[in-house]
Amino acid sequence: MARQTAKFKTRKPTLSAQKLNEEIVAEAEDVGEDEGEAQQEGDTGDATAKEATESVQTDPFETLKSQHRQIEAVLARREESEASALAHELLTHWIPHTLVEEAVVIPAARASAGDDRMIEQSLIRRDLVNLLLADLLRRRGDPSGARLDVIAEEIQAVIDASEAPNDGLFAVIGEGGADEEFARQLKSEQELAAQRCAPLAWDLRETLGQL
């Protein structure tokens, strides 16, 4: 079946994401981060910016897949890392990545006759991750590790929904053969996300405001 090229519109934040923005910005005003933590977050943001602004490769999904691996690597350290610090690091990867996927990948999957149920489930999982991250940061810890475990499970489900070989979001768009318009918009959104998010890694309040 031929795929129709469409102009993609940015998805408006859901009510839960908007509520997250308001609550987490208010909470972050009381969170004190020392200079070393700020430097670490800044370095992570710089790395994300450098990756996002690289030229679009033959497979336009390679950068997104690479970001998936980075997010998985952060979550793999949850047993040995302090919860709030790990949540901050996770956000420096999650925010720009989610901005790009919701602005370009989700609309393109819809235009390519993707499974609406699977797409909606992916969006709901993203909102749930945002809410859980906000709750974790408000609590400033996760003694049992339960919240990070659930966050990891939901993020993995989002990644699997994107990368499934036959009916995942990338596959229905046309993995390895997406048209030039899609690749152009993907690159543009990656650059925009890098510009918006990389400098904000120094200020958690503003960074979280991009969710």
Side-chain angles (χ1 to χ4, degrees):
M1 179 182 296
R3 180 170 62 85
Q4 295 181 347
T5 300
K7 296 293 183 181
F8 310 130
K9 296 183 180 179
T10 303
R11 170 182 177 253
K12 294 182 179 180
T14 63
L15 178 59
S16 57
Q18 291 173 341
K19 183 177 180 182
L20 166 65
N21 293 345
E22 297 170 359
E23 292 183 357
I24 205 164
V25 168
E27 286 293 331
E29 291 177 351
D30 298 326
V31 177
E33 296 180 299
D34 62 30
E35 185 176 347
E37 290 174 335
Q39 180 64 51
Q40 181 180 9
E41 290 179 6
D43 292 344
T44 304
D46 291 342
T48 302
K50 180 178 179 182
E51 174 191 298
T53 54
E54 290 177 348
S55 298
V56 174
Q57 304 177 38
T58 302
D59 180 354
F61 299 101
E62 280 305 313
T63 297
L64 297 176
K65 292 177 183 176
S66 176
Q67 291 169 354
H68 286 168
R69 306 291 84 78
Q70 290 178 333
I71 290 168
E72 289 171 338
V74 172
L75 289 169
R77 292 189 280 104
R78 64 185 182 277
E79 296 292 339
E80 60 198 47
S81 301
E82 194 277 322
S84 293
L86 188 125
H88 293 169
E89 183 180 357
L90 177 60
L91 282 165
T92 64
H93 295 287
W94 176 253
I95 292 172
H97 178 77
T98 300
L99 286 172
V100 171
E101 288 203 334
E102 292 193 3
V104 182
V105 175
I106 296 295
R110 291 193 192 280
S112 302
D115 184 335
D116 283 341
R117 186 183 183 91
M118 183 265 289
I119 291 171
E120 289 302 321
Q121 288 175 343
S122 177
L123 291 172
I124 291 169
R125 290 183 191 279
R126 293 167 197 269
D127 290 336
L128 179 57
V129 168
N130 293 344
L131 291 169
L132 289 171
L133 283 169
D135 182 63
L136 189 153
L137 289 172
R138 283 195 299 271
R139 293 171 181 269
R140 303 181 189 179
D142 186 22
S144 70
R147 285 172 182 76
L148 278 174
D149 285 343
V150 175
I151 287 169
E153 290 172 1
E154 295 303 325
I155 288 179
Q156 191 60 58
V158 169
I159 290 173
D160 291 344
S162 296
E163 296 189 11
N166 296 319
D167 58 357
L169 298 180
F170 298 168
V172 300
I173 294 169
E175 185 169 359
D179 62 28
E180 292 183 4
E181 175 64 12
F182 173 82
R184 184 193 66 76
Q185 292 199 29
L186 185 62
K187 181 176 183 292
S188 176
E189 286 294 333
Q190 286 168 341
E191 292 174 347
L192 179 61
Q195 292 169 6
R196 293 171 63 188
C197 297
L200 301 179
W202 292 89
D203 188 334
L204 182 60
R205 286 174 294 174
E206 293 188 56
T207 301
L208 294 173
Q210 299 302 318
L211 278 171

